[in-house]
Amino acid sequence: MAKTSTTTQGLRAAIERSGYYPALVAEAVEAAVGGEPMSSYLVHQETTFDANEVRRHVTVLVLTDTRFIVSHTDEQAADTTSPTPYATTSTESVKIGRISSVVLSRVVANPEKYVPGTLPREVVLTIGWGAVSRIDLEPAACGDPNCEADHGYTGSSTADDLSLRVSEAGDGPETVRQALAFAQALSEATADAGR
């Protein structure tokens, strides 16, 4: 889908609906996208509780023909570095060919009664492009219970650059649909980039 006024308006409307510094978020995202056509987007607003404070965070994901763009905006209370509250916005632009994994986990209620096309209760979208990896190590062992040799370590490395959880109860069914659509578009784009 080319960047049309409808796509741009849809992204802007989603940013406005998040209610989270929409002018700041929109400007950062639009600057990162530039004039490139957008094919899909996802806006996810998250509220967390930190001691006695409520903190908000918004993540905007945009897919273009050549790039995957991630924007994060966080708000901070006044502190020793700033006498007034402030927000931090960052954007990252990743070439589609660098994306190494797109994982979509679906949670459905009553799986024995599942009907294809039914909206999942929640989805978790995890995207890896090699910027952040998690390594889980544990001591290696052999099958001999009497062995006292040092077998070193064994473990796994997992790409874990971005993980978003979207639920029908917390975010609404439209956001879950949008997350599914975005995951499919990103998966298709990475498959096309590999050809």
Side-chain angles (χ1 to χ4, degrees):
M1 171 193 323
K3 182 178 180 179
T4 62
S5 61
T6 304
T7 305
T8 303
Q9 288 172 351
L11 175 58
R12 272 196 168 267
I15 290 170
E16 289 282 341
R17 270 192 310 277
S18 79
Y20 186 76
Y21 307 121
L24 173 65
V25 173
E27 181 179 57
V29 171
E30 289 169 4
V33 171
E36 196 170 359
M38 291 185 290
S39 57
S40 190
Y41 62 86
L42 174 63
V43 177
H44 182 253
Q45 194 269 332
E46 181 180 13
T47 302
T48 57
F49 300 93
D50 181 19
N52 295 330
E53 295 180 18
V54 175
R55 294 189 187 247
R56 296 179 301 162
H57 174 90
V58 69
T59 301
V60 179
L61 309 179
V62 176
L63 182 61
T64 72
D65 292 341
T66 62
R67 298 179 299 145
F68 166 63
I69 297 162
V70 183
S71 174
H72 295 288
T73 303
D74 292 291
E75 65 183 350
Q76 305 293 326
D79 58 22
T80 58
T81 64
S82 175
T84 60
Y86 61 98
T88 303
T89 300
S90 64
T91 57
E92 182 173 2
S93 177
V94 181
K95 290 182 181 181
I96 294 294
R98 287 211 43 221
I99 295 176
S100 56
S101 68
V102 178
V103 179
L104 182 68
S105 300
R106 300 168 191 246
V107 177
V108 298
N110 302 313
E112 71 281 359
K113 297 177 183 176
Y114 179 77
V115 175
T118 302
L119 200 60
R121 187 170 67 194
E122 70 180 56
V123 297
V124 178
L125 175 60
T126 304
I127 304 165
W129 58 91
V132 177
S133 293
R134 183 181 66 237
I135 298 176
D136 296 318
L137 295 175
E138 60 186 41
C142 67
D144 181 358
N146 297 319
C147 180
E148 294 182 12
D150 182 356
H151 294 285
Y153 289 88
T154 185
S156 62
S157 175
T158 307
D160 197 15
D161 295 306
L162 175 75
S163 190
L164 281 181
R165 177 185 171 270
V166 178
S167 71
E168 187 175 23
D171 303 297
E174 187 53 39
T175 304
V176 174
R177 278 188 200 87
Q178 188 69 36
L180 291 168
F182 186 84
Q184 182 175 348
L186 184 57
S187 289
E188 290 170 358
T190 59
D192 290 344
R195 292 183 186 150

